[in-house]
Amino acid sequence: MTMDEAVQIPVAPESSTAPKSTLMSHPRSLVTLAGTELWERFSFYGLQVILAYYLYYSLTDGGLGLDVNVAVGVAGSYGGAIYVSQMVGAWIADRVVAPRTVVLYSAVLILLGHLVLALVPAVAGVAAGLILIVAGTGGLKVNVTAMVGMLYADDDQRRDAGYSLYYMGISLGAFLGPVLTGVLQSSVGFHLAFGAAAVGMLCGLAQYLAGYGRLPAATRTVPNPLPRSRWAMAVALAVAPAAAIAVAVFSGALNLDNISTVLTVVIVIASLAYFAKLLSSRKTEDVERGRIVAYIPMFLSSLLFWTLLFQLFTTLAVYVDTRVDLTVGSVTMPAALIITLEGLFATVLAPLYALSWTKLGDRQPNPGAKVFGGIALLAAAMAVFAVLAGSTGATNSVIVVLVAMFLFAAGEIAVVPSVLSATAQLAPRAHKAEMTALYFLTMAGGSTLAGLLAQTYDPATEFVFFSVTALVSVLVAAALYGGYRIAIARVH
């Protein structure tokens, strides 16, 4: 038995649910969903790439003047909160409101959040704007991703290629947004840059409305409706955490210094609760429980991957700003632009990966192998920064840093579509949106851990920081790949 044969997962066909209208062999609604996600990522990354700078730049430079360690912790926690909110968005779409409707109103919330950031100054604008964006992204991102899975039958070999094309839209938005906001921030200020992110989200909303009526029937129904008799309890459960957070903030128990630690604990508890719920659900069949267990190594691998990738917005955001010579000839590039180029590289690589997987068909590497290889590429990128250690000041070559950005991109495109596809394929039929939310918890944990890890970075010991991170990442990824192989073989 070959490696590929060993990881095949038996599934029942769902061809009756797949849309009939196609474009270049893929469902036409893939264009709607990928386009919506492109513009949402345009606005999201357009903000995220300059958020840490806004927090720690001095008041005279247009920032808020926070301590650097606090700024990277808050930036990481913001990303973590974004993905924790996926649980709420997934639950609403699974139990209360159809996914396509949740996405529509969530897009409006995101647009409002970016407008608040652009128009309201100081800490008040940051707090209100980020809360709106967190709430909106929680409803949009998880459900758009889940709806992509609804476009394909479980045994459709186009699935990986479809997710790669979908991720190409994500990568393009993740590149274009920060390019524009980075240039605007360095030339005319932060608030006009935030305004550009708002325009991007407006385009995303328009894109979604244009294809809204053509989304497949599965997006218009609530998979597991909550009885109306339980709605009051659901509202109470939703209000209780918000009230607890408000009390913690006003009492001082939750503050900028410990928010990353608190959020990490919340993510761990939420992850364990989600796995327990999926495994114990009466609507989860025995064979599906085996698939959920097989997903655990993939879940942990994804957590490791996002911890590494989100260093781009924490440790490496500071690194590029303070340790890299950004002048090429007579041109000085914005620090945000260098981080953004990772998204450009990913955009270029995504269709090449999709073409490769399509041509290989059932001979392509299994998802676990793709994820391990991708994490190894990110570890190699971290090793590049270890090689650069030893200099002082902003003297390191931007060209070498771009090599590291390319390795980040190559790893990202290897990992993310594979994890997304495995998440959809291994999900119980009655809990697809919730399984997708479980995947987004790896992004929440990765972003928060990236903020915590960034707080240990010190230019004086950066060789140890980068080399240990690279080595540990490869070893852990190898162990998790072995666990995935064993678990999948048992399912088979």
Side-chain angles (χ1 to χ4, degrees), residues 330-390:
S330 59
V331 178
T332 299
M333 294 177 287
L337 177 61
I338 304 304
I339 301 298
T340 299
L341 288 174
E342 188 273 343
L344 175 62
F345 295 146
T347 302
V348 172
L349 289 173
L352 301 179
Y353 275 65
L355 180 62
S356 298
W357 304 149
T358 301
K359 285 186 174 296
L360 288 171
D362 59 6
R363 295 180 292 110
Q364 65 186 284
N366 66 74
K370 293 176 185 176
V371 171
F372 170 68
I375 291 174
L377 287 170
L378 265 69
M382 298 300 280
V384 168
F385 293 104
V387 172
L388 292 175

Side-chain angles (χ1 to χ4, degrees), residues 27 84 139 146 183 198 209 253 266 301 314 320 386 405 409 455:
V84 167
V183 170
L209 286 171
V266 170
S301 296
T314 53
V320 171
M405 294 299 108
Q455 291 175 344

Side-chain angles (χ1 to χ4, degrees), residues 43-383:
S43 63
F44 175 79
Y45 284 110
L47 165 63
Q48 190 172 36
V49 77
I50 61 175
L51 179 59
Y53 299 145
Y54 182 56
L55 295 174
Y56 79 74
Y57 273 24
S58 67
L59 296 175
T60 56
D61 290 329
L64 299 183
L66 299 179
D67 179 78
V68 172
N69 283 340
V70 172
V72 295
V74 170
S77 297
Y78 159 68
I82 282 284
Y83 298 111
V84 167
S85 66
Q86 310 300 314
M87 294 186 297
V88 179
W91 185 87
I92 292 173
D94 192 48
R95 305 302 304 274
V96 182
V97 182
R100 72 168 191 167
T101 305
V102 174
V103 169
L104 176 61
Y105 290 106
S106 297
V108 173
L109 286 178
I110 297 171
L111 174 59
L112 292 175
H114 285 293
L115 287 173
V116 169
L117 279 168
L119 299 175
V120 181
V123 174
V126 171
L130 294 186
I131 288 171
L132 286 168
I133 294 170
V134 166
T137 306
L140 186 146
K141 184 144 182 63
V142 64
N143 289 305
V144 170
T145 304
M147 286 194 290
V148 173
M150 297 174 189
L151 302 180
Y152 300 92
D154 283 350
D155 57 353
D156 193 334
Q157 291 192 357
R158 300 175 302 165
R159 179 186 291 273
D160 276 18
Y163 270 111
S164 291
L165 293 171
Y166 165 68
Y167 203 72
M168 181 175 65
I170 292 175
S171 299
L172 182 59
F175 167 68
L176 294 176
V179 165
L180 181 58
T181 59
V183 170
L184 288 174
Q185 175 267 312
S186 63
S187 58
V188 294
F190 283 101
H191 288 283
L192 282 178
F194 297 149
V199 172
M201 193 60 239
L202 180 62
C203 292
L205 181 59
Q207 169 86 38
Y208 186 67
L209 286 171
Y212 186 76
R214 294 191 298 272
L215 292 170
T219 70
R220 308 177 191 185
T221 60
V222 180
N224 186 22
L226 183 73
R228 287 188 177 271
S229 60
R230 297 174 59 187
W231 279 26
M233 180 184 297
V235 171
L237 290 174
V239 171
I245 292 171
V247 170
V249 170
F250 283 112
S251 68
L254 179 63
N255 53 58
L256 294 179
D257 292 325
N258 67 8
I259 188 172
S260 296
T261 303
V262 171
L263 190 56
T264 299
V265 173
V266 170
I267 291 167
V268 170
I269 293 173
S271 300
L272 293 174
Y274 253 74
F275 272 112
K277 179 182 178 182
L278 293 173
L279 289 168
S280 63
S281 172
R282 288 178 295 178
K283 296 186 178 182
T284 301
E285 300 175 0
D286 288 341
V287 67
E288 292 176 329
R289 288 188 176 88
R291 294 175 191 166
I292 293 169
V293 172
Y295 184 68
I296 293 174
M298 186 68 74
F299 173 88
L300 295 173
S301 296
S302 183
L303 175 64
L304 171 61
F305 162 77
W306 288 112
T307 301
L308 292 173
L309 190 73
F310 282 135
Q311 292 300 305
L312 291 171
F313 305 108
T314 53
T315 304
L316 297 179
V318 177
Y319 182 94
V320 171
D321 188 40
T322 60
R323 299 282 288 112
V324 179
D325 181 1
L326 297 173
T327 301
V328 178
S330 59
V331 178
T332 299
M333 294 177 287
L337 177 61
I338 304 304
I339 301 298
T340 299
L341 288 174
E342 188 273 343
L344 175 62
F345 295 146
T347 302
V348 172
L349 289 173
L352 301 179
Y353 275 65
L355 180 62
S356 298
W357 304 149
T358 301
K359 285 186 174 296
L360 288 171
D362 59 6
R363 295 180 292 110
Q364 65 186 284
N366 66 74
K370 293 176 185 176
V371 171
F372 170 68
I375 291 174
L377 287 170
L378 265 69
M382 298 300 280

